[in-house]
Amino acid sequence: MRKERPRHESQVLRLALAGGLPALAACALLLWRSRIDSRIAIPVVVVLAAVWLGFAFAVRGRVVRSLQTVANLIGGLRESDYSVRGREIGGDDAMGDVVWEINQLTQILQEQRFGAIESAALLKAVMTKIEIAILAFDDEERVRLANRAGERLLGAPIDRLLGRTASELGIADWLTGLSAKTIQGPIAGRTGRWAVRRSVFREKGRPQQLVVVADLKLALREEERQAWQRIIRVLGHELNNSLAPIRSIAGSLQTLIARDERPDDWLDDVQRGLSVIGSRSAGLSRFIDAYAKLTRLPPPRRTPVSIEDVIARAARIEDRTAVRVAPGPPATVSVDGDQIEQLLINLLRNAADAGANVGIEWTAADEEVVIRVTDDGPGISGTANLFVPFFTTKPGGSGIGLALSRMIADAHGGSLALENRTDGVTGAVAVLTLPRNASG
Ligand code: ADP
């Protein structure tokens, strides 16, 4: 570019000179032909030539100055100096238009830069304050970024973290395997449980990994408190439901027996009352049994289990409706077959309670197997209480099916969710995810 500029300038000069040359030549010729005294003719030609050269250089200078102004303005932009503005000339002026356009562009870039600076400052403030560790690794698994929580988690200041590899820091497993997992064990000497989430982003075309690590202890404590509150609410409700009628019937029977004159059928009343008390006590004891079942779930005894077989076994048990088993890929998972079968029986029973068309299907990826149980019932209206132990909307329901099923899924390092179908059919779908390896 720089080499071409003199050529452009000399071209302008040459054109300007060429524009005046015919007139000068004509003047010189006329003077020579009209035989004017050379003492007059020569100075006239010299003056004309000087004027001609002067204007030609002025044209060149004008063009060069305009281009230099534009080059300076654009150079300022290239250097990210947005404070420089060209002097605007109003009216119908080509150079004025160029300067105006460049000024507008400068203004826009300046605003965008302020916006970017503000967003970056906000992001930095959020990253510093947030209690969740955020780390970025480059394609060689070297730390490129860590926020305060990340420094605390790894027990070292940022300058001692930058450039070190994940394996040097003892966290290489964060960058492999499932993109969302729970890690237990000491990190930089601290024991605890952490939720690790990983995602990939690209910078200058090269893959980088962003890792977000949350300390589960705090979240779990809050969850635990809420779980206790819910259990106590349900227990209180259930105990009151049984104890209130027992107390009231016992009171009535006492009054009846204390009366001097009892009606003829008083023995029938006593018998009815005692049988209500008996059935309420039996209900209470069933409830306590169910509670015990929940709290005494043994740890899974894992063996390799064919998903196809366990689904077929569970589907055969549901006798109220024919369960449609969609064919899926053969897959073996390391799980407690009895527990997973019990879990599927619970889901299929709920689906059969809800609708007539019950289906079960599965997919298998390298890392996990996903089983879906669908029905065409009314679907679910709220998800907040479904997995709360003893929550039931069914007369005679126990409310432990889903709670127990989720505990089994969790014990296997998997997850269980119940949601409305999104395939255009009204109904619910229970989604069970089980990891293929034996973690959790
Ligand atoms: P139970 O079946 O004894 O009520 P669960 O824990 O299995 O206990 O289920 C809890 C509640 O969740 C049920 O009472 C019902 O309201 C809701 N539920 C479970 N599965 C479904 C489903 N497939 N469709 C609609 N609601 C469901």
Side-chain angles (χ1 to χ4, degrees):
M1 281 299 278
R2 291 199 175 277
K3 274 186 188 157
E4 281 172 22
R5 199 174 287 167
R7 225 181 296 144
H8 178 70
E9 290 159 7
S10 37
Q11 260 176 6
V12 170
L13 180 63
R14 253 181 263 135
L15 286 172
L17 288 172
L21 193 62
L24 186 73
C27 273
L29 192 69
L30 277 176
L31 286 171
W32 179 64
R33 280 285 179 88
S34 53
R35 298 185 193 290
I36 292 174
D37 187 350
S38 63
R39 276 172 303 175
I40 296 168
I42 289 173
V44 167
V45 171
V46 169
V47 170
L48 281 176
V51 171
W52 165 59
L53 285 175
F55 275 111
F57 277 96
V59 168
R60 175 185 175 277
R62 182 72 198 231
V63 171
V64 168
R65 263 198 312 283
S66 302
L67 288 177
Q68 274 172 346
T69 307
V70 171
N72 287 342
L73 290 174
I74 295 176
L77 293 186
R78 186 169 48 77
E79 307 265 316
S80 308
D81 180 0
Y82 303 130
S83 59
V84 184
R85 294 280 194 286
R87 192 160 54 83
E88 289 179 20
I89 309 147
D92 187 13
D93 181 277
M95 184 60 196
D97 286 350
V98 172
V99 172
W100 187 85
E101 289 291 351
I102 293 176
N103 285 349
Q104 293 303 305
L105 182 65
T106 311
Q107 176 85 21
I108 290 169
L109 290 176
Q110 189 175 36
E111 283 166 12
Q112 283 179 351
R113 189 167 58 176
F114 282 149
I117 290 172
E118 279 166 10
S119 313
L122 179 67
L123 190 66
K124 205 167 164 195
V126 171
M127 275 185 52
T128 312
K129 290 269 177 284
I130 203 163
E131 275 306 315
I132 290 174
I134 301 174
L135 303 154
F137 295 85
D138 65 13
D139 51 350
E140 288 171 353
E141 300 194 345
R142 289 180 188 282
V143 177
R144 287 204 42 223
L145 174 147
N147 67 345
R148 287 262 169 79
E151 293 175 271
R152 274 198 301 276
L153 180 64
L154 297 175
I158 184 76
D159 43 319
R160 283 194 27 226
L161 293 176
L162 288 180
R164 290 181 69 192
T165 61
S167 26
E168 281 168 10
L169 295 166
I171 52 171
D173 53 333
W174 292 7
L175 303 182
T176 54
L178 290 174
S179 58
K181 56 186 165 187
T182 306
I183 286 192
Q184 193 141 17
I187 296 179
R190 273 176 59 203
T191 50
R193 281 184 82 193
W194 286 274
V196 180
R197 301 275 178 279
R198 177 164 47 90
S199 59
V200 176
F201 67 99
R202 285 188 174 271
E203 202 180 84
K204 294 184 183 144
R206 299 174 73 179
Q208 320 265 324
Q209 308 213 59
L210 185 71
V211 178
V212 177
V213 188
D215 187 345
L216 287 178
K217 241 188 315 187
L218 296 175
L220 283 179
R221 231 170 274 147
E222 176 58 20
E223 278 285 304
E224 223 169 80
R225 197 179 59 80
Q226 287 182 5
W228 273 113
Q229 276 178 355
R230 284 193 295 243
I231 296 241
I232 286 167
R233 220 173 27 233
V234 178
L235 283 177
H237 179 253
E238 208 60 30
L239 289 177
N240 262 337
N241 272 357
S242 295
L243 289 180
I246 290 176
R247 201 176 41 229
S248 126
I249 290 169
S252 314
L253 292 183
Q254 226 169 10
T255 323
L256 181 69
I257 290 169
R259 267 162 62 179
D260 290 338
E261 280 186 24
R262 292 188 281 263
D264 298 340
D265 60 348
W266 73 278
L267 264 178
D268 292 348
D269 283 352
V270 169
Q271 243 158 12
R272 253 197 313 275
L274 287 177
S275 103
V276 173
I277 290 178
S279 79
R280 287 288 170 169
S281 313
L284 207 54
S285 124
R286 272 199 307 278
F287 175 78
I288 301 296
D289 283 349
Y291 185 74
K293 202 168 169 186
L294 262 190
T295 50
R296 286 196 216 121
L297 180 73
R301 278 199 310 268
R302 293 171 185 274
T303 50
V305 170
S306 151
I307 284 295
E308 203 168 356
D309 292 350
V310 75
I311 286 179
R313 279 204 302 276
R316 269 199 299 277
I317 288 179
E318 182 50 62
D319 52 3
R320 283 171 297 165
T321 176
V323 177
R324 189 179 41 77
V325 182
T332 305
V333 278
S334 172
V335 292
D336 185 323
D338 290 339
Q339 287 189 2
I340 296 297
E341 189 180 328
Q342 182 59 50
L343 187 164
L344 293 177
I345 291 170
N346 292 345
L347 298 184
L348 289 168
R349 202 190 47 221
N350 277 345
D353 285 345
N357 282 311
V358 176
I360 185 163
E361 61 190 43
W362 77 97
T363 54
D366 285 349
E367 289 174 347
E368 59 192 25
V369 167
V370 180
I371 303 174
R372 288 189 176 77
V373 176
T374 52
D375 63 63
D376 61 349
I380 47 173
S381 48
T383 50
N385 293 322
L386 293 179
F387 291 90
V388 175
F390 313 112
F391 170 83
T392 180
T393 55
K394 300 172 195 168
S398 71
I400 64 158
L402 286 181
L404 188 65
S405 300
R406 183 171 266 180
M407 281 174 73
I408 294 174
D410 286 349
H412 283 82
S415 65
L416 175 65
L418 186 67
E419 53 206 45
N420 282 318
R421 284 171 73 165
T422 51
D423 56 357
V425 182
T426 320
V429 52
V431 185
L432 169 68
T433 306
L434 291 172
R436 304 258 332 229
N437 62 2
S439 72

